[in-house]
Structure formats: C-alpha cells, structure tokens
Amino acid sequence: MSSRTTNMVMISALVTTAVAGILWMQTQQQPSRDKSTRNEEKKKSLSMKELKERKTNNKKAEDEKNDKALELPEHLQRKLDKIKRREEKIPFLAAKSPPYDNIFMRDPQGQTLSTISQKKAKWYVDKKKLAKWVTPNTIQLTFEPKARTNDAYHITHKKNVCVACGVDGHVMRHYVVPYAYRSLMPSKYKSHLSHDIVILCPKCHLLCAQAYQERMKYFDDVLRTDPETAVVKIINFELSKIKSAAMALLNHKNKLPQNKTEEYTLLIQNYLKTSSELTTEQLRDAASVEHRAPNPDYIPGAELVVNDLLKNENEEESLSEFVYGWREFFLETVQPRHLPTGWRVDSPVMCSDHKVC
C-alpha cells in the first residue's frame, strides 16, 4: 500500500472519530439543555401562579377595604339585623288561613243578612240545625231572624288583603282598638263586633304597632299618678349579685382574676352560710335564685285607661269617643286604601239587639 493511501485511511479514521465524539458530546449535553428549559418553564409557571395569587389577594384586600368603607354604624347594623330576624319570622306570625271565609248568610226569603266564617256557618247548619247549605259559600236560615242590617260592611264580600298596601301574601289580624283595651271592655263592646278587626301585612302591622305603642304610652303617662304602680317586678339587688357571682364562677372561673374569684366565693359562702369549698351543685343553686318578685301595686296601663272610661256617668258616650278616636288614629297612621266596603269611623261601637254585628 502506498503512503498516500495510508494517509487517506488515517484521515478518514480521524474524521470518523471526531464526528463520533461530537455526536456523543451532543447526546450528553441535550438532557442538560432539556433540564434547563424545564427549569425555566417551571420558573415561568411559578411566576404566573404567584402573579395570579397576588392579583387575587389585591382584589380581596380591595373588597375588604370597600366593605369596611360601606360598613354601617353599629346601632344601624343592629336595626338591620333585627329587621332581618323579624322578616324570617313572618311565615310563623302570619295567619295560617284566610281571615275572611266570606260565607253569605241569608234569611228564608233569600235576603243577605251578613257574611260569616266557615266555623259559624257549620254551627248554624250542623250543630243547631238552624240553616241549610244553598251553595258552597251560602247558607239560608230556616227561621225568621230578629236582627237585620242594611250596613254594606256586613253584607259585602271582603278581600283577604292588607288594607294598607293591598298585598295578598302573608297577612295578620290587627285590632283597630288595641286588644289590651278591647279585652277589658264590657262584652257588648266586643262580642260579635268584627268591624274593628282588619287585615295588615307584617310590615304595615309593625309600622302601625310602633305608632300605637307611643299613643298608649301617652295615655298611661297622663293617667298614672304613682310611678311605683308602673313597675311590673321588684328587683332584689342583693340576690341579683349572688346570681351574677355564681354564674361567673360556673362559666368563667378560669378567666377571672384571683381577687375576683375570692370575692365571689366569699359572697356566695355568706349567702349559703357555709365556710366549706363551694361545690358545682351549690353554685348552680345560687345561679338559679329568683331575684325578681311581682309588684303587688302594679297596675297595667290598659287597666288604668279602661277603668277611667268606665268611671264616667255616661259610659257609652265615653267609650264611643274612645273607639272613634282610635279609628281616626288608625286612618291617619296607616292611610289604608283597601278597607272593606262600608268600613267607617262612625260605625256603632257596640252590638245592639236589633242589628246583626
């Protein structure tokens, strides 16, 4: 073999070896580059995540700042919470069935005498056998009644809606003359007399009740001469201290300062007339002590008012003026737009023998 050929073979071998070396180095460096790329992508991913979290936290902080800026004063927030709790109770306070059944009662000739409840209709038909069903919402008497009236209020259909705003959802009965007064009046001023019982929705009833309480308090203040008669219960302050001390030892002993624990313990020991260590049972007995007693001189405000009305020589006149006054106050306070047909301020205040009430 010539020297030229030998050189060519050697050059070829060197080139092959160099190429193989380069390829090997590339295969060794590739994982390093892949790892570096993955690290960069991971860093980028983490950066995006951190950025997103930062934006979320910033938004949350901004929302909290806005909420704090819009936060109501504590006394207004309490009122809103009270309104919310009251609204939650509306379904339980409202009438469970429509207040007016609108059953028409007719005389033997077919003339309408009044509208009555389903219960009263069944009393006439099933219990006393004094009437019969003519239609599902009409009964006809089998005797000639003595009491008759042409008053539109008693003979017309009544809607089961709030007389103030007209809502027909949850409604409740409202006494135009407060029930506290009405319940103390003689029977003839309240028996079979539905004129002064109307329907209000809970919201309108609440607004009306607040105004009613103020007016009732005014009457109470005018007539009450002895403040002691306004106190419902008399508080025994010594027993009140015993009760508070016992409850503190039962529920918060671990949080009390040592001097307070000793003070409360000594107070209860003196009350129980013992020097022994107090047991849980003794503390419970002390915590359940009754520190309020009924005031024997207490006179309810409604009783003061009604008794004052009944003292007048002309009882009917004084009670009539009292009832008319409440009817006018009801109209001024509620400004009803949906009163039953025939409802009026000067309607009779008692049920007479010759009228259907």
Side-chain angles (χ1 to χ4, degrees):
M1 180 182 297
S2 65
S3 59
R4 183 178 179 182
T5 303
T6 301
N7 290 338
M8 290 295 293
V9 171
M10 290 177 65
I11 291 171
S12 177
L14 289 172
V15 170
T16 302
T17 302
V19 171
I22 292 171
L23 291 174
W24 180 83
M25 290 178 65
Q26 288 179 343
T27 57
Q28 292 299 312
Q29 292 176 357
Q30 185 66 35
S32 178
R33 286 198 299 270
D34 291 344
K35 185 175 181 181
S36 176
T37 303
R38 285 198 301 271
N39 288 337
E40 289 179 1
E41 291 177 350
K42 186 176 181 181
K43 286 181 181 179
K44 187 176 180 181
S45 176
L46 287 173
S47 298
M48 292 295 292
K49 185 177 181 181
E50 289 175 357
L51 183 61
K52 187 175 181 181
E53 288 179 355
R54 190 178 301 171
K55 287 183 178 179
T56 303
N57 292 335
N58 289 341
K59 188 176 185 304
K60 188 182 294 185
E62 186 177 352
D63 291 342
E64 290 176 355
K65 184 178 179 181
N66 291 335
D67 291 341
K68 191 172 183 179
L70 296 173
E71 188 175 343
L72 292 172
E74 188 176 347
H75 70 286
L76 292 179
Q77 188 61 49
R78 284 199 301 270
K79 285 187 177 181
L80 286 179
D81 293 340
K82 186 177 181 180
I83 292 172
K84 184 179 179 181
R85 290 195 300 271
R86 187 183 293 117
E87 289 179 347
E88 290 173 351
K89 295 178 181 178
I90 285 177
F92 305 99
L93 297 175
K96 302 298 183 288
S97 58
Y100 295 125
D101 293 326
N102 288 304
I103 304 298
F104 290 92
M105 182 172 68
R106 295 177 178 172
D107 66 7
Q109 290 75 42
Q111 180 181 354
T112 299
L113 298 172
S114 66
T115 57
I116 58 176
S117 65
Q118 186 78 21
K119 181 179 179 180
K120 191 66 174 179
K122 289 182 178 180
W123 182 87
Y124 274 106
V125 176
D126 300 331
K127 187 173 182 179
K128 294 299 182 179
K129 310 297 182 184
L130 297 174
K132 59 183 179 179
W133 289 103
V134 179
T135 68
N137 67 334
T138 306
I139 65 169
Q140 188 169 26
L141 299 179
T142 56
F143 67 96
E144 196 66 36
K146 293 181 180 179
R148 291 178 178 275
T149 182
N150 293 321
D151 192 336
Y153 173 82
H154 295 288
I155 63 177
T156 55
H157 181 278
K158 299 174 182 63
K159 296 180 180 179
N160 286 297
V161 299
C162 172
V163 298
C165 65
V167 68
D168 60 354
H170 295 298
V171 293
M172 56 202 308
R173 291 177 177 85
H174 172 78
Y175 289 86
V176 175
V177 179
Y179 184 79
Y181 298 141
R182 180 185 170 101
S183 63
L184 298 175
M185 292 180 179
S187 179
K188 62 182 179 180
Y189 293 98
K190 56 187 178 180
S191 180
H192 303 290
L193 196 63
S194 61
H195 180 274
D196 292 326
I197 304 176
V198 296
I199 299 176
L200 290 177
C201 68
K203 289 185 178 180
C204 292
H205 175 77
L206 175 62
L207 295 174
C208 186
Q210 291 171 344
Y212 267 43
Q213 288 172 3
E214 291 180 5
R215 191 167 196 251
M216 292 174 72
K217 185 179 183 304
Y218 169 76
F219 289 149
D220 189 306
D221 293 340
V222 169
L223 295 174
R224 195 178 296 279
T225 56
D226 183 2
E228 295 296 325
T229 61
V231 180
V232 180
K233 290 193 174 184
I234 300 173
I235 298 176
N236 185 321
F237 291 100
E238 292 300 320
L239 291 180
S240 178
K241 290 180 181 179
I242 298 296
K243 186 182 184 76
S244 297
M247 293 180 68
L249 292 176
L250 278 172
N251 302 321
H252 309 290
K253 186 175 181 180
N254 295 335
K255 299 179 182 178
L256 291 174
Q258 182 63 28
N259 63 327
K260 281 295 179 183
T261 301
E262 293 174 358
E263 178 187 337
Y264 292 161
T265 301
L266 181 60
L267 184 67
I268 297 171
Q269 285 175 333
N270 291 337
Y271 169 71
L272 297 176
K273 296 179 180 179
T274 180
S275 58
S276 303
E277 184 178 352
L278 295 175
T279 64
T280 302
E281 190 64 30
Q282 287 175 318
L283 289 175
R284 286 175 179 168
D285 290 341
S288 61
V289 67
E290 183 54 64
H291 65 288
R292 295 179 298 177
N295 180 9
D297 299 323
Y298 170 67
I299 302 175
E303 188 175 322
L304 275 177
V305 173
V306 175
N307 287 344
D308 184 71
L309 293 170
L310 296 177
K311 283 191 302 185
N312 293 328
E313 293 182 2
N314 193 333
E315 173 191 296
E316 182 177 344
E317 182 180 347
S318 62
L319 282 172
S320 295
E321 290 179 358
F322 182 70
V323 173
Y324 294 154
W326 276 106
R327 289 175 180 173
E328 290 173 351
F329 183 75
F330 173 75
L331 293 180
E332 293 170 2
T333 303
V334 178
Q335 298 183 359
R337 304 187 303 274
H338 305 274
L339 280 169
T341 302
W343 195 98
R344 64 184 198 275
V345 170
D346 62 348
S347 180
V349 301
M350 64 179 179
C351 190
S352 59
D353 295 334
H354 61 281
K355 286 186 178 181
V356 175
C357 298

